[in-house]
């Protein structure tokens, strides 16, 4: 796992559990349709897996 992931929040947090809200906030997502770029690590992939119905994830190649 090398490179980066672009994670975009595609659904709102209305009616979601506090745990799901914390995972979204932990990823750095603050608003709908905003994307963040994070390193591709098992921890980040695990967080995305918990909220996969709320986000869209795509792999971004290395910029080197």
């Amino acid at each position: 796992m090398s490179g980066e992931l672009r994670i975009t929040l595609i659904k709102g947090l209305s009616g979601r559990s506090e745990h799901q809200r914390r995972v979204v906030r932990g990823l750095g997502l603050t608003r709908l349709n905003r994307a963040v770029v994070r390193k591709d690590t098992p921890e980040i992939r695990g967080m995305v897996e918990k909220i996969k119905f709320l986000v869209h994830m795509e792999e971004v190649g290395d910029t080197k």
Side-chain angles (χ1 to χ4, degrees), residues 18-35:
E18 184 62 27
H19 177 74
Q20 291 166 340
R21 291 172 187 258
R22 287 183 184 197
V23 172
V24 168
R25 188 71 178 142
L27 286 170
L29 296 165
T30 56
R31 293 177 62 183
L32 203 58
N33 296 320
R34 291 283 173 99

Side-chain angles (χ1 to χ4, degrees), residues 14-51:
S14 241
R16 303 296 176 196
S17 71
E18 184 62 27
H19 177 74
Q20 291 166 340
R21 291 172 187 258
R22 287 183 184 197
V23 172
V24 168
R25 188 71 178 142
L27 286 170
L29 296 165
T30 56
R31 293 177 62 183
L32 203 58
N33 296 320
R34 291 283 173 99
V36 294
V37 177
R38 297 287 174 251
K39 287 187 179 180
D40 188 3
T41 64
E43 293 83 4
I44 296 296
R45 284 196 179 253
M47 292 173 78
V48 170
E49 186 66 27
K50 295 282 185 181
I51 56 167

